[in-house]
């Protein structure tokens, strides 16, 4: 009787733990960006956050979703990628609106050419479909340009994946690229801080959450003997997170130049 009663209690408890772990897996990845989003909205200053972080996560999660079609992994990881893509698009929308509202240079920069009704009056009457300039890649003036770029990347990679879906080598390579791209998550922010010689405007809470999450994930990979590329990429993420935290300490103790809060065209180009 006691064993039956104990089993009756353990069953629902295990189910609750399973649901909690799945929920943490799905939504845990977006939690670090909540304080950064709130800081940008409150200060109306996006200069401290690198939008290339959004680019890295968009690419990584799009590739992970395509990898799922070749090798079905756990559903929470799939939903995590979907939620992360939505979150990064929201971050891009806010950063673009804040940056454009603060900049003095109103020249339109776009991924796709504007039509005759475009607000840039001085634009030439005839423009090619792709108004693409590598100097301003991912520095566009409208959120719709980022959406068009993401859709183009998804369409091209999706078509290639459809053609090579029967190749196990391609599928495994696709999965590795997804994991490795995600491992590069902190590099844009690391470089951004180095350029500014400051971490002002960057949410330290976000980086601390990155570090704790990446450390937990890497330990999990090692203890569960996951494929070696998962462990290597996890360790790389942790090292980058620690490097960013070292920047926070160094630039606060030994400031190399005052952070600028004045909106100017250069700040737009840096983003």
């Amino acid at each position: 009787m006691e064993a039956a009663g104990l089993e009756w209690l353990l069953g629902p408890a295990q189910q609750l733990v399973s649901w909690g772990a799945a929920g943490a897996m799905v939504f845990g990845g977006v939690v670090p960006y909540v304080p950064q989003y709130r800081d940008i909205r409150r200060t109306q200053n996006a200069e401290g956050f690198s939008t290339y972080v959004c680019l890295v996560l968009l690419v990584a999660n799009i590739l992970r979703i395509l990898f799922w079609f070749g090798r079905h992994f756990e559903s929470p990881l799939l939903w995590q990628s979907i939620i992360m893509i939505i979150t990064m698009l929201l971050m891009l929308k806010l950063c673009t609106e804040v940056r454009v509202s603060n900049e003095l240079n109103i020249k339109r920069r776009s991924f796709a050419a504007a039509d005759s009704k475009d607000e840039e009056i001085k634009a030439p009457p005839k423009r090619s479909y792709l108004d693409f300039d590598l100097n301003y890649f991912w520095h566009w003036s409208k959120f719709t340009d980022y959406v068009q770029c993401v859709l183009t990347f998804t369409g091209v990679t999706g078509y290639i994946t459809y053609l090579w879906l029967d190749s196990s080598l391609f599928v495994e390579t696709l999965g590795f690229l997804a994991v490795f791209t995600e491992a590069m998550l902190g590099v844009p922010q690391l470089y951004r801080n180095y350029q500014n010689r400051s971490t002002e405007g960057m949410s330290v809470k976000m980086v601390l959450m990155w570090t704790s999450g990446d450390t937990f994930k890497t330990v999990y990979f090692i203890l569960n003997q996951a494929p070696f590329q998962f462990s290597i990429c996890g360790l790389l993420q942790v090292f980058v997170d620690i490097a960013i935290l070292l920047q926070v300490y160094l630039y606060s103790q030994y400031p190399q130049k005052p952070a600028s809060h004045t909106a100017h065209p250069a700040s737009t180009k840096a983003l």
Side-chain angles (χ1 to χ4, degrees), residues 72-173:
H72 293 310
F73 46 77
E74 296 178 348
S75 296
L77 292 176
L78 178 64
W79 281 106
Q80 180 193 47
S81 293
I82 295 173
I83 298 297
M84 182 62 74
I85 289 173
I86 295 173
T87 302
M88 290 302 101
L89 290 175
L90 291 175
M91 287 291 296
L92 277 175
K93 186 175 186 297
L94 175 63
C95 290
T96 304
E97 291 174 350
V98 169
R99 187 179 68 240
V100 171
S101 65
N102 290 337
E103 68 180 356
L104 299 177
N105 183 6
I106 61 174
K107 183 178 180 180
R108 170 93 156 91
R109 294 190 294 270
S110 61
F111 173 75
D115 57 24
S116 59
K117 296 181 180 180
D118 192 273
E119 70 276 7
E120 187 186 3
I121 301 175
K122 296 182 180 180
K126 293 183 179 180
R127 304 174 68 181
S128 61
Y129 175 70
L130 288 182
D131 183 24
F132 190 78
D133 185 347
L134 282 177
N135 293 325
Y136 295 106
F137 176 76
W138 212 249
H139 310 311
W140 301 309
S141 304
K142 279 190 173 181
F143 173 66
T144 53
D145 293 307
Y146 293 94
V147 174
Q148 290 171 1
C149 181
V150 170
L151 290 177
T152 300
F153 174 79
T154 304
V156 172
T157 53
Y159 181 68
I160 295 173
T161 301
Y162 173 76
L163 294 178
W164 291 87
L165 199 59
D166 294 332
S167 171
S168 59
L169 177 61
F170 173 82
V171 171
E172 293 299 326
T173 303

Side-chain angles (χ1 to χ4, degrees), residues 57-72:
L57 279 175
L58 285 169
V59 170
N61 285 280
I62 289 171
L63 292 180
R64 188 196 288 183
I65 292 174
L66 294 176
F67 176 58
W68 180 86
F69 287 98
R71 174 185 287 186
H72 293 310

Side-chain angles (χ1 to χ4, degrees), residues 45-48 192 196 198 200-201 257-264 266-267:
N45 180 11
E47 188 175 348
R192 171 79 179 191
N196 290 346
S198 170
E200 188 171 349
K257 73 172 185 178
S260 173
H261 297 282
T262 306
H264 49 78
S267 65

